[in-house]
Amino acid sequence: MNTNKISITAFSSISPLGNNVAEVWEKYLDNKHCFSQQFLDQQETSVAALSAESKQIVAEIRESDPKYKFLDDSVLFALAASRKAVEQAGWKLDDIFGINIGSSRGATDLFEKHYKTYIDTGKAQTLASPTTTLGNISSWIAHDLQSVGPEISHSITCSTALHAVLNGVAWLKSGMADKFLVGGSEAPLTDFTIAQMRALKIYSRINPEEESWPNLAFDFDKTQNTMILGEGAAVCCLEAGEAENAIAYITGVGYATEILEHNISISAEADCFQKSMKMALKDENLEDIDVIVMHAPGTIKGDLTELRAIEKVFGSKLPLLTTNKWKIGHTFGASGILSLELALLMIEHDRFIGVPFGEKQNQVKPIKKVMINAVGFGGNAVSILIEKR
């Protein structure tokens, strides 16, 4: 495989942090979480939802084309982010680019509604199938952007978006494409999705109106699981080689899967993370890695096993460590790409964003290289290394 760099030439997101880069950075500086309560799964539930302004953007996209009226939010979130990113990258109508936008759960909201209609009436609605298939995110984006390249959708649980980045890098390095739009989208704030997380006993029981930190992602001494779900989408434009308008380069990718003991298990020192990080760091001097944006979902085991894996790989010389899930919760398939957004912003502003209740870490040198981790049910880890242009 040729070792040329892959350029990230644009990035766009819509999440509880906002819908433009200035707003997102401001939110990262304020040290407050984005959680509120919604009545889901028959009780008041902590969630990280889009702001009223972002919901308005999504509503306007829904109204912009009669065909969009029946689409799931997961598709519309991705459309909002993709339109902006492609414009920002300066990609034109006749540019050929691939699309790979994944989702962990897909069209959860529509699926639940269509299934309820079927149970109530004994009939399925006409559009039930095409609007709930996994592939419909990438194909609607291709329709919306009138693109002609390959389009791929996939679900690899919570590492979905970083697997999309891996796919984009592979296509670009193989020479089969020059440009790729990659990312993830998730709209999981639905009754059944929340119920599933509660059944696993990993959902936070802390009321955000009573406690400062309802999601204790990055607290390695917590005695209860505190995962909270968030919604959103993010995408980035990748181009082969060192593009003039690159905002950063992808210089390393790693992936690994570990042998499972049960459906959601992960080993005590997250072997999959050790392997994926070592692969991404192949030719790197470990002391050059400035920050790691951890997956750290806010569960006791998830947070601690990843920390142990990092300690195994880096020894006593740990980079600065952070996560954004204490702030925006776990956005499942979109979480890895929202972590990549935080990495890009820290590089751009040369400022480390830590976790307010975590052990204080001081930035002593410029931030030039950041690694992003993601792992999903099934022990499938991805690590992506990016560096300042």
Side-chain angles (χ1 to χ4, degrees), residues 28 293-295 323-325 334-344 372-373:
Y28 270 124
V293 182
M294 293 173 64
H295 182 71
T323 180
N324 56 12
K325 293 192 182 66
S335 63
I337 195 91
L338 288 167
S339 295
L340 177 63
E341 175 177 57
L342 173 56
L344 289 168
I372 303 100
N373 279 343

Side-chain angles (χ1 to χ4, degrees), residues 5-11 85-86 89 91 96-101 161-173 177-183 235-243 245-251 253 337 340 344 384-386:
K5 292 172 179 168
I6 300 294
S7 296
I8 299 173
T9 54
F11 192 98
V86 166
W91 290 0
I96 296 173
F97 59 90
I99 297 171
N100 186 181
I101 315 289
L162 290 194
H163 268 99
V165 175
L166 281 183
N167 286 342
V169 168
W171 277 75
L172 296 174
K173 290 207 167 194
D178 301 321
K179 299 180 167 87
F180 235 90
L181 180 69
V182 299
V235 299
C236 60
C237 294
L238 303 183
E239 299 187 29
E242 298 188 27
N245 58 335
I247 47 182
Y249 299 123
I250 295 174
T251 52
V253 295
I337 195 91
L340 177 63
L344 289 168
I384 303 282
L385 182 63
I386 64 169

Side-chain angles (χ1 to χ4, degrees), residues 178-196:
D178 301 321
K179 299 180 167 87
F180 235 90
L181 180 69
V182 299
S185 183
E186 208 71 59
L189 306 185
T190 67
D191 293 317
F192 187 52
T193 311
I194 300 283
Q196 290 173 72

Side-chain angles (χ1 to χ4, degrees), residues 346-367:
M346 287 191 289
I347 285 176
E348 185 195 340
H349 295 275
D350 190 18
R351 178 162 174 182
F352 174 65
I353 300 291
V355 178
F357 51 80
E359 198 176 309
K360 185 148 174 54
Q361 306 165 78
N362 293 317
Q363 181 188 340
V364 293
K365 57 180 178 153
I367 297 175

Side-chain angles (χ1 to χ4, degrees), residues 12-15 17-21 23-24 51 53-54 57 84:
S12 177
S13 68
I14 186 162
S15 79
L17 296 163
N19 52 60
N20 64 72
V21 73
E23 194 181 4
V24 170
S51 68
E53 186 199 340
S54 292
I57 291 172
K84 242 179 173 170

Side-chain angles (χ1 to χ4, degrees), residues 113-339:
K113 284 176 179 160
H114 283 308
Y115 186 63
K116 185 180 185 309
T117 302
Y118 176 69
I119 292 300
D120 293 347
T121 66
K123 286 193 172 66
Q125 288 171 310
T126 312
L127 293 174
S129 171
T131 56
T132 59
T133 55
L134 188 61
N136 96 106
I137 296 182
S138 289
S139 22
W140 279 110
I141 291 169
H143 161 83
D144 191 63
L145 300 174
Q146 298 175 15
S147 70
V148 290
E151 50 192 72
I152 315 163
S153 287
H154 66 265
S155 164
I156 308 177
T157 60
C158 307
S159 56
T160 295
L162 290 194
H163 268 99
V165 175
L166 281 183
N167 286 342
V169 168
W171 277 75
L172 296 174
K173 290 207 167 194
S174 73
M176 286 173 66
D178 301 321
K179 299 180 167 87
F180 235 90
L181 180 69
V182 299
S185 183
E186 208 71 59
L189 306 185
T190 67
D191 293 317
F192 187 52
T193 311
I194 300 283
Q196 290 173 72
M197 296 306 111
R198 286 205 171 107
L200 291 169
K201 305 210 171 6
I202 55 179
Y203 213 81
S204 179
R205 300 193 299 274
I206 305 169
N207 184 337
E209 281 146 27
E210 290 167 9
E211 296 283 338
S212 307
W213 314 114
N215 182 332
L216 294 169
F218 207 76
D219 174 346
F220 302 107
D221 302 315
K222 59 179 165 289
T223 52
Q224 57 174 307
N225 289 321
T226 61
M227 194 179 96
I228 296 176
L229 289 190
E231 62 184 355
V235 299
C236 60
C237 294
L238 303 183
E239 299 187 29
E242 298 188 27
E244 279 176 26
N245 58 335
I247 47 182
Y249 299 123
I250 295 174
T251 52
V253 295
Y255 47 87
T257 304
E258 63 183 50
I259 308 304
L260 295 181
E261 287 181 26
H262 58 81
N263 294 11
I264 61 166
S265 69
I266 191 164
S267 55
E269 291 174 339
D271 298 335
C272 55
F273 263 145
Q274 290 185 50
K275 288 177 187 157
S276 71
M277 287 189 287
K278 283 176 182 162
M279 186 174 170
L281 294 164
K282 185 170 78 232
D283 305 317
E284 295 288 333
N285 180 348
L286 294 184
E287 288 172 30
D288 291 343
I289 309 306
D290 302 305
V291 184
I292 299 175
V293 182
M294 293 173 64
H295 182 71
T299 60
I300 296 170
K301 204 170 174 193
D303 293 10
L304 200 52
T305 54
E306 184 179 0
L307 177 67
R308 294 286 171 265
I310 292 168
E311 289 169 343
K312 273 281 201 213
V313 172
F314 284 87
S316 59
K317 296 193 175 74
L318 290 186
L320 297 168
L321 304 177
T322 191
T323 180
N324 56 12
K325 293 192 182 66
W326 67 272
K327 190 174 187 83
I328 58 169
H330 196 351
T331 51
F332 282 157
S335 63
I337 195 91
L338 288 167
S339 295

